Amino acid sequence: MIKRCFLLFWLCFTHHTYSQEEWLFVTEPFPPYFAEQLPQQGWLADLTVTALASQNITASIEFTTWARAIKLVEKNKRTAVLGAYFSTEREQIFLYSRPLAHSFTGLFKRKNTHISYDGSLASLEDYSISKGSDYIVGDEFSKQRNLTTTESKDLVSSLRVLQLGRVDLVAGTKEVGEYWLKNHSILQSDTAAEIEYIEPHLAYHHLCIVFSRSSANSEQRLSQLESGLTAIINNGEAASVLLRHGFSEAKTEQYLEFLKR
């Protein structure tokens, strides 16, 4: 009788432990994909949390600087990074999920300045360029040794020094930079120089979730995440998430095809 009671207690305890599994993501605010001020912290955050909930996993997101986020996961102090770009160097350290979204990186300039940019990195050698610390802009950009670059803590800081005329250009994510220029208070002063994105793009990127290869649980967690994504695609929850964040039915269908790859 005692053994039976103990077994019942153990089974209840293990089930409770499993059902209460919690992951802590870390990342930099990256609107319109995810940020603290967005509804449900943004559509990509909402999609990720929903996918994990289907696997009985609770997920929360900590927002910090990008450089700190990468270090925290590399040292196994957080579960995963949300929204990482791919690089060969990072792949040695992290396991990557399937692509969850895509974006472009490129250049921002002050509207009242002339920049002779023809799409080649050589045409940028006479200009000073700011970017966020540990940001991936593009493979060719990273390899170019003749560019004058400086680093700031994030894209907002880079855009601010561009407004103040301390650099000629900012390299960063198009969609995020354009969001911050419209919505961040520090970039909205009446005397602030107007900023615009210029084409051609420097690179096209996929946003992924990454886990540290040094963690013994990473492969299992990646498998759980992938199972969750497949589950919510198949049961219609993924579509519901996108529609409540303002996606049209056509855009939702297009995105779900992208997510299935």
Side-chain angles (χ1 to χ4, degrees):
M1 183 67 179
I2 294 175
K3 288 183 177 179
R4 186 176 298 173
C5 289
F6 178 80
L7 179 61
L8 181 62
F9 172 79
W10 183 82
L11 288 172
C12 290
F13 175 78
T14 54
H15 174 74
H16 176 75
T17 301
Y18 173 73
S19 66
Q20 294 298 312
E21 184 178 358
E22 183 172 357
W23 291 11
L24 179 56
F25 287 89
V26 63
T27 191
E28 181 174 290
F30 202 74
Y33 302 91
F34 44 83
E36 288 177 285
Q37 71 271 27
L38 298 175
Q40 291 81 44
Q41 298 185 316
W43 69 265
L44 190 53
D46 197 2
L47 190 80
T48 302
V49 170
T50 302
L52 292 172
S54 76
Q55 306 300 299
N56 295 314
I57 297 167
T58 301
S60 58
I61 302 171
E62 173 188 347
F63 291 98
T64 184
T65 62
W66 183 251
R68 180 171 179 266
I70 287 289
K71 288 186 176 73
L72 284 171
V73 173
E74 184 178 355
K75 294 177 180 179
N76 298 312
K77 293 183 177 181
R78 301 292 186 275
T79 309
V81 176
L82 175 62
Y85 289 165
F86 177 84
S87 76
T88 303
E89 292 77 13
R90 279 187 187 165
E91 193 182 27
Q92 307 305 309
I93 303 169
F94 299 105
L95 287 174
Y96 276 76
S97 72
R98 75 179 76 177
L100 302 182
H102 58 79
S103 64
F104 291 99
T105 51
L107 299 166
F108 295 85
K109 75 173 189 72
R110 293 185 301 280
K111 283 188 177 181
N112 61 355
T113 60
H114 175 70
I115 301 292
S116 298
Y117 172 53
D118 60 11
S120 70
L121 293 178
S123 66
L124 301 175
E125 292 178 4
D126 292 334
Y127 303 110
S128 57
I129 307 170
S130 177
K131 73 178 191 69
S133 179
D134 280 356
Y135 280 16
I136 289 175
V137 176
D139 287 342
E140 293 304 314
F141 187 91
S142 299
K143 294 174 184 175
Q144 178 59 254
R145 297 291 177 250
N146 295 325
L147 298 179
T148 303
T149 61
T150 60
E151 290 194 347
S152 63
K153 69 175 184 176
D154 54 31
L155 182 52
V156 171
S157 300
S158 288
L159 291 170
R160 183 56 180 158
V161 297
L162 176 61
Q163 283 185 333
L164 296 172
R166 296 173 185 169
V167 294
D168 301 309
L169 295 163
V170 165
T173 300
K174 176 182 187 292
E175 297 84 353
V176 180
E178 289 180 338
Y179 179 93
W180 285 135
L181 287 167
K182 293 177 182 177
N183 295 282
H184 201 292
S185 59
I186 199 173
L187 303 174
Q188 296 294 309
S189 68
D190 294 337
T191 58
E194 287 191 83
I195 305 298
E196 63 181 352
Y197 183 86
I198 59 175
E199 294 189 359
H201 309 297
L202 289 173
Y204 171 84
H205 296 279
H206 286 144
L207 280 75
C208 303
I209 289 171
V210 297
F211 303 84
S212 174
R213 288 185 180 274
S214 65
S215 170
N217 298 322
S218 286
E219 289 189 5
Q220 177 187 346
R221 286 171 170 166
L222 177 58
S223 178
Q224 289 174 292
L225 171 66
E226 295 292 351
S227 295
L229 290 167
T230 299
I232 65 170
I233 292 170
N234 293 337
N235 68 17
E237 284 188 89
S240 297
V241 168
L242 299 173
L243 290 169
R244 73 169 169 253
H245 284 275
F247 280 54
S248 66
E249 289 189 6
K251 188 177 178 182
T252 295
E253 183 177 348
Q254 182 182 35
Y255 174 74
L256 291 178
E257 287 302 313
F258 167 83
L259 195 60
K260 290 177 184 177
R261 297 175 189 174

